[in-house]
Amino acid sequence: MVGVSAIDPLVAANIEFAKSFSGGLPGTPARKVAVVTCMDCRIDPVRALGVTVGDANVIRNAGGLVVEDTIRSLAISQRKLGTQAIMIIQHTRCGLSTFSDEEFRAELAAETGVTPPWGPRPFGAQEDNVRAALERIHASPFLPHTDDVRGFIFDVDTGLLNEVYASAS
Ligand SMILES: [Zn+2]
């Protein structure tokens, strides 16, 4: 069947992109920073953070959550690629706040007959989500560098980062 692929224009754009691409950068991030953020299409970490290609590892998933696979990526980033700082960036008006993960799992199970292998992810008040992510990083035995770990909420309307501080305890 001949159809129109949404991907075709992207492949065509890549051919243009490659014409002025210089390449040759090492795979170790120059700024020694790993950024964990949401897959949301309104967040462009490169432009929003004043970094460029070669500067940072960017790990994205729905919500910018620190889940098992995020820890895996961060462990590789720190242990194999030399990063030492971690920035967690969640954001306002995140799609994950519009439905409960429990409901989504039940919906998938009912529709497909298969229960998703990933566990439920509590997603509550925004600042609490960021604090939970920071806590998971600090609790991980696999991350050697946890002195410079900070969490933020990116405002998709103003473009500003608002820092979330660990609760005083
Ligand atoms: Zn989001």
Side-chain angles (χ1 to χ4, degrees):
M1 190 178 104
V2 179
V4 178
S5 167
I7 298 167
D8 286 342
L10 281 65
V11 175
N14 171 258
I15 293 167
E16 289 306 307
F17 168 77
K19 287 177 183 167
S20 59
F21 187 72
S22 48
L25 288 170
T28 46
R31 303 278 194 103
K32 299 190 186 300
V33 176
V35 179
V36 176
T37 192
C38 185
M39 66 183 186
D40 194 284
C41 63
R42 294 165 290 188
I43 303 173
D44 178 351
V46 165
R47 286 172 57 218
L49 304 176
V51 295
T52 188
V53 64
D55 274 350
N57 281 143
V58 180
I59 301 153
R60 304 187 76 158
N61 60 35
L65 303 180
V66 174
V67 293
E68 197 180 339
D69 194 67
T70 318
I71 295 287
R72 170 184 158 270
S73 295
L74 288 171
I76 292 168
S77 180
Q78 291 200 344
R79 292 172 175 272
K80 304 294 183 189
L81 303 172
T83 65
Q84 296 179 349
I86 301 173
M87 238 181 139
I88 304 291
I89 305 177
Q90 297 184 2
H91 67 101
T92 58
R93 300 207 274 129
C94 185
L96 259 70
S97 59
T98 63
F99 59 89
S100 100
D101 201 56
E102 249 341 292
E103 282 165 15
F104 184 55
R105 281 163 54 80
E107 185 184 310
L108 290 178
E111 206 175 297
T112 67
V114 182
T115 301
W118 60 86
R121 317 244 180 269
F123 201 79
Q126 226 151 24
E127 299 206 339
D128 292 341
N129 295 333
V130 173
R131 288 196 185 102
L134 295 173
E135 282 163 18
R136 286 214 185 88
I137 285 169
H138 285 291
S140 173
F142 306 120
L143 303 175
H145 308 290
T146 55
D147 290 342
D148 197 4
V149 179
R150 292 165 66 181
F152 301 85
I153 294 171
F154 177 79
D155 187 321
V156 297
D157 295 299
T158 66
L160 280 173
L161 289 175
N162 291 299
E163 185 151 10
V164 177
Y165 299 95
S167 39
S169 57

